[in-house]
Amino acid sequence: MRVLVVEDFEVLARSIGTGLRREGMAVDVVLDGTAALQRLAGTRYDVVILDRDLPGVHGDEICRRLALGRCATRVLMLTASGTIEDRVDGLSLGADDYLAKPFAFAELVARVRALARRATPPLPPTLECGDITLDPARRTAFRAGRRLDLSPREFGLLECLLAVPGVVISAEELLERVWDEAADPFSSAVKHTMHRLRAKLGDPPVIETIREGGYRIGPS
């Protein structure tokens, strides 16, 4: 899941980003509206957590542009303006959800996950390929009944591959979907994480490396 946090209070923005990464999400953080539009122009996000009163470009204008562009990205407005009128106004601009500050972080996570399910084509509750099963909601994965102890990045790679068994996914796409702004696009992060994932999956091997293409799980 790829999330963009747009919040001008840096301490809060970084805190949200850190918390969501611990939940296994790939998170980018920006502190003003202009930077947000630049990110949205070049990266596909599942969810944008958007403050309204932003420097540069106002949050309302960002929300309006996303709605007019019929973008699949879902918008969660996160703001101190919590009256009924403010909520109605925010939703009328095209926001998909509205959460007033202060908020419980667990509720924020639940709302982000709910919006992400609406941003992407629905998947089965459990992803399966051969003797491998993965439950995205519970963040659990098994092979032949053996629970796999996966890091968030390893889990993300396996989830991406199981979502489209038999389809080749490039290393670049995996880097975009599983990592975030902290990732070096020229690094070998995908290769090294894939090596660790294969070791944890054990034999027989199920993930195939496609020369100059990427990776594939299951039958071609």
Side-chain angles (χ1 to χ4, degrees), residues 88-124:
V88 170
D89 187 35
L91 294 171
S92 68
L93 289 168
D96 299 281
D97 200 357
Y98 196 109
L99 184 60
K101 304 173 187 175
F103 58 89
F105 186 74
E107 181 180 4
L108 174 66
V109 172
R111 288 173 181 259
V112 169
R113 291 197 187 283
L115 289 176
R117 288 194 294 269
R118 294 163 53 189
T120 56
L123 292 173

Side-chain angles (χ1 to χ4, degrees), residues 82-172:
T83 66
I84 295 297
E85 291 77 11
D86 288 325
R87 295 182 185 186
V88 170
D89 187 35
L91 294 171
S92 68
L93 289 168
D96 299 281
D97 200 357
Y98 196 109
L99 184 60
K101 304 173 187 175
F103 58 89
F105 186 74
E107 181 180 4
L108 174 66
V109 172
R111 288 173 181 259
V112 169
R113 291 197 187 283
L115 289 176
R117 288 194 294 269
R118 294 163 53 189
T120 56
L123 292 173
T126 301
L127 303 179
E128 299 182 6
C129 182
D131 60 357
I132 299 173
T133 61
L134 180 145
D135 187 328
R138 293 185 173 86
R139 309 295 295 173
T140 58
F142 295 84
R143 182 166 196 190
R146 172 178 59 89
R147 182 160 182 165
L148 303 171
D149 182 19
L150 303 179
S151 71
R153 301 299 185 215
E154 293 160 0
F155 190 95
L157 288 182
L158 184 59
E159 183 177 8
C160 285
L161 292 170
L162 288 175
V164 285
V167 175
V168 177
I169 305 180
S170 69
E172 292 77 12

Side-chain angles (χ1 to χ4, degrees), residues 14-124:
R14 302 298 179 193
S15 177
I16 293 173
T18 298
L20 293 180
R21 290 186 186 105
R22 288 173 179 164
E23 294 292 325
M25 304 179 197
V27 185
D28 296 339
V29 177
V30 295
L31 306 177
D32 62 75
T34 302
L37 289 177
Q38 292 172 345
R39 290 298 183 112
L40 289 164
T43 304
R44 182 174 67 85
Y45 293 96
D46 299 299
V47 179
V48 176
I49 300 174
L50 180 67
D51 189 22
R52 292 188 73 176
D53 191 15
L54 293 168
V57 180
H58 197 277
D60 288 358
E61 177 61 22
I62 295 173
C63 185
R64 187 179 295 108
R65 293 190 190 185
L66 287 172
L68 289 174
R70 300 186 181 278
C71 179
T73 300
R74 302 300 180 179
V75 177
L76 170 60
M77 278 193 169
L78 186 64
T79 174
S81 304
T83 66
I84 295 297
E85 291 77 11
D86 288 325
R87 295 182 185 186
V88 170
D89 187 35
L91 294 171
S92 68
L93 289 168
D96 299 281
D97 200 357
Y98 196 109
L99 184 60
K101 304 173 187 175
F103 58 89
F105 186 74
E107 181 180 4
L108 174 66
V109 172
R111 288 173 181 259
V112 169
R113 291 197 187 283
L115 289 176
R117 288 194 294 269
R118 294 163 53 189
T120 56
L123 292 173

Side-chain angles (χ1 to χ4, degrees), residues 189-208:
V190 173
K191 180 180 178 180
H192 290 160
T193 306
M194 190 68 72
H195 176 77
R196 294 194 298 271
L197 173 60
R198 282 171 161 154
K200 291 181 179 181
L201 287 171
D203 292 324
V206 291
I207 299 176
E208 181 183 2

